[in-house]
């Protein structure tokens, strides 16, 4: 039953290029099973525009860490909303938020804010260029860092010079990174990486045991900055940043998604030594000082710390992934949940064209489970163990239809 979704999409096609664009375009999911529009959401459930209630395992593609419409966060946002959101000047909330990040993130001496991850991954590579006075940026092949021309996964609107200073190596192949440094070391401004490799349409890959120490050493020796793109994983691996989970220290780190629990905000933090260079790279946006998003973010960070949310979502994810793979196994489906359990990517063996995982997710959609076949899922702290058990029960029911 997607009648309303389809009708709204038909209206959208007339006035919005593609109807719905980007990673939430119907073609990226299950067009015949997933709703195209959402009406409302609370906790770990949402209701689509046809009135169907779903148990959600995508959490607004990671933005929701404490559950949709979390009361404490909504209260903090509402209190600020009564005063106003955007003014001529920033509000004190901006300073308070920067102080919290500097206090919490062990290497951070300063913080800046924007609205989206892309705003600040792009700004961070410019800070690295300004600091080192070098042109090249190294990234991992297939890694997503945003919508800007130096890194976006699309082909449209690009010119060759957009990427002439971007070099790539395959995740975990530190020998390739070594060769890049050998050849171009004195031209490399920075290396930008996610804490682990989470490409779409492919298994997630954790860093090998010496990956981060090798990368850190190569950067340090060459005088290049190590930039952590923690936009997607931030808050779901460690409350103080994913570098603590993998035990390394970047020079700059970018956060967004879960930072405001659904309110649009991103942050970049860095060390004292790049503070001067960072203030030379122009940074602003019309609504970037939005005090409501900053108040939501302060509340969200305080809940994460109080309730040890990263540990909680990892524990819940481990419980859920192990039960889910067991259920799948009992139906002879060799499902593995790759990557960290708080944001697992599902993969079925011998499923190169991904038809099997699509069928699995399609069947589960019939039971009101929003499992994405091509993107990592997200666990929030409003997923209770009871709700995870219910999801397993529904999965079992769905698979009986195989
Ligand atoms: C690792 C990573 N970096 C950067 C971005 C871009 O963030 P935004 O979509 O907020 O611009 C994303 C978004 O999914 C991401 O997952």
């Amino acid at each position: 039953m997607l009648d309303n979704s389809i009708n709204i999409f038909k209206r959208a096609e007339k006035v919005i290029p593609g109807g719905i664009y980007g990673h939430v375009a119907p073609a990226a999911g299950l067009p015949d099973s997933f709703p195209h529009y959402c009406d409302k959401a609370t906790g770990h459930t949402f209701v689509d525009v046809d009135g169907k209630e779903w148990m959600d395992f995508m959490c607004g593609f990671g933005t929701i860490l404490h559950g949709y419409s979390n009361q404490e966060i909504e209260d903090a946002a509402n209190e600020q909303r009564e005063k106003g959101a955007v003014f001529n000047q920033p509000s004190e909330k901006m300073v308070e938020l920067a102080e919290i990040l500097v206090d919490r993130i062990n290497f951070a001496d300063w913080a800046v804010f924007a609205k989206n991850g892309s705003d600040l991954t792009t700004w961070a590579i410019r800070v690295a260029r300004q600091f080192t006075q070098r042109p090249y940026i190294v990234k991992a092949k297939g890694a997503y860092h945003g919508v800007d021309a130096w890194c976006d996964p699309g082909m449209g609107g690009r010119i060759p010079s957009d990427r002439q200073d971007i070099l790539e190596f395959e995740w975990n192949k530190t020998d390739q990174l070594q060769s890049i440094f050998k050849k171009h070391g004195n031209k490399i401004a920075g290396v930008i990486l996610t804490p682990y490799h989470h490409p779409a349409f492919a298994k997630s890959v954790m860093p090998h045991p010496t990956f981060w120490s090798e990368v850190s050493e190569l950067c340090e020796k060459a005088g290049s900055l190590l930039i952590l793109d923690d936009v997607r994983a931030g808050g779901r691996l460690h409350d103080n940043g994913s570098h603590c989970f993998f035990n390394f220290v970047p020079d700059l780190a970018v956060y967004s998604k879960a930072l405001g629990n659904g309110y649009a905000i991103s942050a970049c933090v860095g060390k004292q030594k790049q503070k001067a260079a960072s203030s030379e790279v122009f940074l602003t946006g019309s609504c970037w000082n939005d005090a409501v998003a900053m108040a939501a973010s302060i509340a969200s960070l305080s809940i994460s710390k109080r309730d040890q949310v990263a540990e909680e979502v990892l524990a819940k994810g481990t419980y859920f992934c192990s039960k889910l793979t067991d259920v799948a196994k009992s139906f002879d489906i060799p499902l593995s949940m790759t990557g960290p359990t708080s944001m697992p990517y599902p993969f079925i063996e011998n499923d190169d064209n991904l038809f099997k995982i699509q069928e699995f997710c399609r069947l589960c959609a019939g039971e009101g489970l929003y499992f994405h076949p091509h993107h990592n899922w997200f666990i929030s702290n409003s997923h209770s163990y009871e709700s995870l058990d219910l999801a397993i029960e529904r999965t079992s029911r769905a698979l009986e239809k195989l």
Side-chain angles (χ1 to χ4, degrees):
M1 265 284 291
L2 292 173
D3 295 359
N4 278 343
S5 261
I6 289 167
N7 287 336
I8 299 171
F9 188 78
K10 282 181 185 158
R11 279 167 51 207
E13 272 185 309
K14 291 186 189 147
V15 290
I16 298 171
I20 301 176
Y21 41 80
H23 64 302
V24 289
L30 293 174
D32 54 346
S33 305
F34 280 179
H36 306 327
Y37 298 91
C38 180
D39 183 31
K40 58 186 177 183
T42 47
H44 59 268
T45 61
F46 72 90
V47 179
D48 69 25
V49 287
D50 286 282
K52 176 172 171 175
E53 187 174 297
W54 295 77
M55 287 183 78
D56 184 34
F57 286 85
M58 290 309 290
C59 295
F61 281 80
T63 56
I64 305 299
L65 178 60
H66 308 296
Y68 291 102
S69 306
N70 176 285
Q71 200 53 55
E72 277 181 87
I73 295 170
E74 293 312 311
D75 288 347
N78 286 337
E79 193 182 318
Q80 179 59 43
R81 199 176 280 118
E82 280 179 14
K83 295 184 181 177
V86 176
F87 315 109
N88 297 322
Q89 305 86 354
S91 72
E92 194 178 343
K93 292 283 178 220
M94 183 171 180
V95 183
E96 200 182 327
L97 182 55
E99 284 168 345
I100 292 171
L101 292 177
V102 166
D103 181 51
R104 192 169 297 187
I105 299 169
N106 55 2
F107 68 90
D109 294 310
W110 53 263
V112 296
F113 303 100
K115 279 283 165 202
N116 295 289
S118 308
D119 300 334
L120 291 179
T121 50
T122 294
W123 183 77
I125 67 167
R126 292 180 60 204
V127 170
R129 285 174 172 156
Q130 179 64 17
F131 179 76
T132 58
Q133 294 296 299
R134 298 172 181 176
Y136 290 167
I137 296 294
V138 185
K139 67 184 275 294
K141 273 186 193 148
Y144 184 66
H145 297 294
V147 294
D148 291 320
W150 66 271
C151 63
D152 84 311
M155 298 299 287
R158 269 210 247 130
I159 52 174
S161 61
D162 286 333
R163 295 201 179 180
Q164 74 187 12
D165 296 323
I166 304 294
L167 308 171
E168 291 191 320
F169 73 107
E170 286 169 83
W171 179 266
N172 266 347
K173 301 260 169 82
T174 35
D175 54 329
Q176 292 182 7
L177 184 62
Q178 229 165 37
S179 307
I180 290 175
F181 267 102
K182 209 169 192 175
K183 195 162 168 202
H184 304 288
N186 60 0
K187 286 190 172 170
I188 296 175
V191 176
I192 183 165
L193 293 168
T194 52
Y196 73 97
H197 195 42
H198 45 57
F201 298 97
K203 284 181 187 176
S204 291
V205 189
M206 296 301 249
H208 68 59
T210 58
F211 178 79
W212 281 115
S213 59
E214 287 181 53
V215 173
S216 305
E217 198 183 322
L218 285 169
C219 287
E220 201 178 325
K221 262 196 192 149
S224 312
L225 297 192
L226 175 53
I227 306 165
L228 174 65
D229 176 352
D230 211 0
V231 168
R232 192 180 307 183
R236 279 189 166 84
L237 299 185
H238 196 289
D239 297 327
N240 299 344
S242 303
H243 62 288
C244 297
F245 187 81
F246 291 114
N247 197 22
F248 69 98
V249 181
D251 293 294
L252 299 167
V254 182
Y255 307 93
S256 186
K257 290 202 182 275
L259 185 61
N261 203 60
Y263 285 85
I265 186 159
S266 54
C268 178
V269 302
K271 295 177 178 169
Q272 188 65 32
K273 67 173 182 175
Q274 311 104 20
K275 202 171 174 192
S278 71
S279 57
E280 284 157 9
V281 184
F282 193 65
L283 179 68
T284 192
S286 299
C287 292
W288 286 9
N289 292 330
D290 173 5
V292 172
M294 290 179 182
S297 182
I298 291 167
S300 174
L301 286 167
S302 121
I303 298 172
S304 282
K305 189 171 185 177
R306 183 194 67 203
D307 298 346
Q308 301 187 319
V309 167
E311 270 181 44
E312 283 292 312
V313 290
L314 277 164
K316 288 176 179 178
T318 303
Y319 177 83
F320 176 63
C321 289
S322 130
K323 291 212 153 191
L324 191 70
T325 47
D326 283 353
V327 168
K329 202 170 161 193
S330 69
F331 287 90
D332 288 329
I333 301 170
L335 174 74
S336 48
M337 301 300 277
T338 67
T341 55
S342 52
M343 37 194 300
Y345 179 93
F347 183 82
I348 295 178
E349 298 309 321
N350 303 318
D351 185 27
D352 294 342
N353 55 19
L354 305 176
F355 287 172
K356 288 181 188 163
I357 191 65
Q358 285 174 10
E359 187 54 15
F360 179 87
C361 293
R362 187 174 285 114
L363 285 169
C364 291
E367 294 293 328
L369 296 167
Y370 199 74
F371 291 164
H372 203 295
H374 305 137
H375 193 286
N376 70 271
W377 307 353
F378 295 91
I379 304 294
S380 81
N381 206 23
S382 74
H383 284 99
S384 60
Y385 285 95
E386 295 73 40
S387 71
L388 295 175
D389 282 341
L390 182 61
I392 297 297
E393 215 179 288
R394 289 190 186 183
T395 305
S396 182
R397 226 164 34 223
L399 296 184
E400 274 163 20
K401 294 183 189 139
L402 260 182

